[in-house]
């Protein structure tokens, strides 16, 4: 997701606006979700590691942020949405990405695309429109049942080529995609006090006169609590006292699992983040954990659970290593701007209106999504001539920086 966007020139109900399957979420959802998390804290002995808190806050069935019926994606706060993603911002995102997907399908000799975390279905729609018969089977894996319903409504005209999977297939031959999926995976939080490292977890907020973290569920809110840990960031750096940062074992495990089933094809992940040498710089001593609600960001995931997104930037070095260690080739890494321009975005925009260009420009402008967002590509068994690298990484590849 990106910073609050200026209103698009499209009318309400156009790209980026929530569809009829979404509806406002009531305070009841927060109350029920809070009660569920309090139970989990109690069951865990009074202290829940943050990654488990985040998993419940985002994905608890029917209640978590991604599992409830709120609008989530959209370009304008007035629509009830919380943030905008690239395919919601401009259909030219998917149209440009289609060039890389087409090359991946041809080089793998397949007609299958598998998208993780398809959100509102915007990217799937753009790709299916752009790629036509080149895609015979578009598979979606999404943790959220309500989002699946939204995707089904939006993609009805492509049936029966679109399928929803409950689990990963035993083998994947084709092109795998994930836009802003890795940043939505739960992270563990670490705190360095200048002498020792602690894992940061969540306890029940103390009711007046009681002690927080006793596991008795006294308060209705949540509070932070640290425990000594042997966990460490993956780099040795001069961490400043008071550093709070995050590590990403779930995202790495996800990539390793994918590597175990990707038999032949290309996997592309687009997201905001950095290589590890930039991730753990002293200037980021407060980490990258952030919440999004109504197109505003805030640093407090413990408040208003279920009503806001919780996210952390992606450690692309960790992602690359997870894929490589599991046998994939890291075939490219670059900025979103470079990738989309390499894929022909500027040519595609030649016939676009001024309003369409203005929105698409945000995908590549350095201070919007162009530089913070990156694209990483993994391949296995692709039939690509040595003089024909992956299209999106033909110029400006930064794999050496990982
Ligand atoms: C920030 S949204 C991005 C949605 C969409 N890709 C877009 O760009 O608009 C994150 C999405 O990832 C999904 N998600 C998170 N973890 C997932 C996982 N392990 N497998 C499949 N989907 C996942 C969420 O349910 C949600 O649809």
């Amino acid at each position: 997701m990106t910073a609050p966007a200026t209103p698009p020139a499209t009318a309400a109900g156009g790209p980026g606006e929530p569809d009829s399957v979404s509806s406002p979420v009531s305070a009841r959802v927060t109350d029920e979700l809070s009660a569920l998390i309090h139970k989990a804290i109690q069951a865990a002995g009074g202290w829940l590691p943050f990654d488990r808190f985040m998993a419940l806050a985002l994905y608890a069935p029917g209640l978590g942020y991604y599992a409830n019926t709120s609008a989530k994606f959209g370009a304008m706060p007035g629509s009830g949405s919380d943030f905008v993603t690239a395919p919601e911002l401009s259909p030219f995102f998917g149209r440009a990405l289609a060039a890389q997907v087409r090359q991946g399908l041809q080089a793998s000799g397949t007609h299958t695309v598998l998208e993780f975390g398809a959100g509102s279905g915007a990217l799937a729609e753009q790709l299916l429109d752009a790629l036509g018969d080149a895609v015979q089977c578009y598979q979606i894996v999404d943790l959220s049942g309500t989002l699946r319903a939204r995707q089904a409504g939006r993609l009805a005209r492509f049936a029966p080529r679109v399928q929803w999977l409950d689990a990963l297939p035993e083998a994947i031959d084709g092109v795998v995609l994930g836009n802003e999926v890795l940043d939505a995976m739960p992270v563990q939080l670490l705190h360095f006090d200048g002498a020792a490292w602690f894992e940061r977890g969540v306890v029940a907020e103390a009711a007046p006169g009681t002690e927080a973290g006793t596991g008795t569920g006294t308060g209705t809110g949540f509070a932070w609590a640290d425990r000594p840990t042997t966990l460490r960031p993956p780099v040795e750096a001069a961490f400043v006292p008071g550093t709070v940062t995050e590590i990403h074992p779930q995202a790495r495990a996800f990539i390793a699992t994918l590597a175990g089933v990707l038999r032949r094809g290309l996997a592309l992940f687009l997201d905001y983040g950095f290589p590890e040498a930039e991730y753990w710089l002293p200037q980021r001593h407060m980490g990258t954990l952030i919440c999004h609600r109504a197109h505003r960001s805030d640093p407090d995931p413990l408040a208003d659970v279920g009503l806001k997104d919780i996210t952390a930037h992606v450690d692309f070095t960790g992602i690359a290593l997870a894929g490589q260690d599991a046998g994939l080739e890291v075939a490219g890494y670059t900025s979103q701007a470079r990738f989309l321009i390499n894929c022909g975005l500027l040519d595609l925009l030649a016939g676009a209106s001024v309003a369409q260009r203005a929105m698409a420009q945000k995908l590549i402008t350095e201070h919007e999504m162009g530089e913070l967002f990156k694209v990483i590509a993994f391949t296995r068994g692709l039939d690509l001539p040595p003089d024909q690298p992956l299209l999106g990484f033909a110029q400006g590849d930064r794999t050496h920086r990982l």
Side-chain angles (χ1 to χ4, degrees):
M1 55 224 64
T2 182
T6 48
T10 50
E17 292 320 296
D19 48 64
S20 56
V21 187
S22 63
S23 63
V25 168
S26 68
R28 182 191 58 80
V29 166
T30 310
D31 292 345
E32 286 183 23
L33 182 57
S34 293
L36 184 89
I37 298 174
H38 273 291
K39 268 194 198 150
I41 291 174
Q42 259 182 313
W47 181 89
L48 206 58
F50 180 74
D51 56 336
R52 286 191 55 204
F53 174 91
M54 183 168 166
L56 290 169
L58 294 184
Y59 302 109
L63 299 172
Y65 177 76
Y66 281 109
N68 68 40
T69 57
S70 69
K72 294 177 248 298
F73 319 98
M76 292 188 286
S79 65
S81 60
D82 297 311
F83 56 84
V84 67
T85 62
E88 304 287 340
L89 193 60
S90 167
F92 285 92
F93 177 72
R95 289 177 200 165
L97 181 59
Q100 180 61 90
V101 174
R102 185 179 284 110
Q103 187 194 25
L105 291 172
Q106 282 167 352
S108 59
T110 64
H111 298 276
T112 299
V113 173
L114 188 155
E115 184 183 357
F116 286 101
S120 73
L123 178 59
E125 185 177 41
Q126 292 157 16
L127 289 172
L128 283 159
D129 272 331
L131 290 165
D133 289 347
V135 180
Q136 295 297 324
C137 178
Y138 197 104
Q139 300 175 323
I140 295 178
V141 179
D142 203 310
L143 294 184
S144 163
T146 49
L147 287 177
R148 279 187 190 204
R150 280 170 75 172
Q151 294 152 14
R154 186 167 194 157
L155 302 173
R157 68 190 165 97
F158 300 106
R161 282 191 287 155
V162 186
Q163 300 170 353
W164 284 264
L165 307 182
D166 291 324
L168 275 184
E170 279 178 17
I172 301 174
D173 297 312
V175 175
V176 174
L177 298 170
N179 187 62
E180 292 206 31
V181 176
L182 297 175
D183 73 78
M185 296 192 180
V187 293
Q188 286 175 296
L189 284 185
L190 300 183
H191 172 212
F192 180 61
D193 72 357
W197 284 93
F198 300 86
E199 182 173 4
R200 181 152 284 188
V202 181
V203 296
E205 192 176 46
T210 62
E211 195 186 336
T214 56
T216 51
T218 47
T220 54
F222 303 106
W224 295 115
D226 291 348
R227 286 191 166 179
T229 183
T230 55
L231 296 171
R232 297 285 184 274
V235 296
E236 287 194 17
F239 290 101
V240 297
T243 292
V244 178
T245 188
E246 59 281 334
I247 54 174
H248 311 74
Q250 290 214 21
R252 292 182 67 143
F254 168 83
I255 295 292
T257 304
L258 172 65
V261 295
L262 183 63
R263 195 163 52 186
R264 185 164 42 106
L266 163 70
L268 290 168
F269 291 94
L270 303 93
D271 224 310
Y272 39 85
F274 320 100
E276 66 183 17
E278 293 169 43
Y279 201 108
W280 284 284
L281 285 174
Q283 75 223 41
R284 261 187 277 287
H285 65 279
M286 296 314 291
T288 70
L289 192 78
I290 197 94
C291 305
H292 294 276
R293 182 180 182 186
H295 295 260
R296 287 166 189 254
S297 48
D298 80 78
D300 186 5
L302 304 189
D304 299 330
V305 287
L307 299 184
K308 52 189 180 182
D309 188 23
I310 309 172
T311 167
H313 285 36
V314 173
D315 161 22
F316 276 101
T317 303
I319 293 298
L321 288 173
Q324 206 170 48
D325 291 350
L328 296 181
E329 188 186 332
V330 180
Y333 169 71
T334 193
S335 68
Q336 178 170 293
R338 265 295 178 185
F339 177 81
L340 293 177
I341 291 169
N342 286 340
C343 287
L345 177 68
L346 300 182
D347 290 341
L348 288 170
L349 286 175
S353 69
V354 172
Q356 287 172 325
R357 281 168 186 243
M359 293 311 281
Q361 200 64 35
K362 292 171 186 280
L363 300 170
I364 54 173
T365 309
E366 212 169 291
H367 65 275
E368 302 242 22
M369 301 178 98
E371 181 55 34
L372 177 61
F373 283 68
K374 312 291 192 312
V375 188
I376 191 166
F378 296 104
T379 54
R380 177 178 275 147
L382 270 200
D383 188 14
L384 275 174
D387 58 339
Q388 275 182 33
L390 286 177
L391 198 65
F393 306 89
Q395 288 183 32
D397 181 44
R398 300 182 187 171
T399 306
H400 59 282
R401 291 209 212 160
L402 284 167

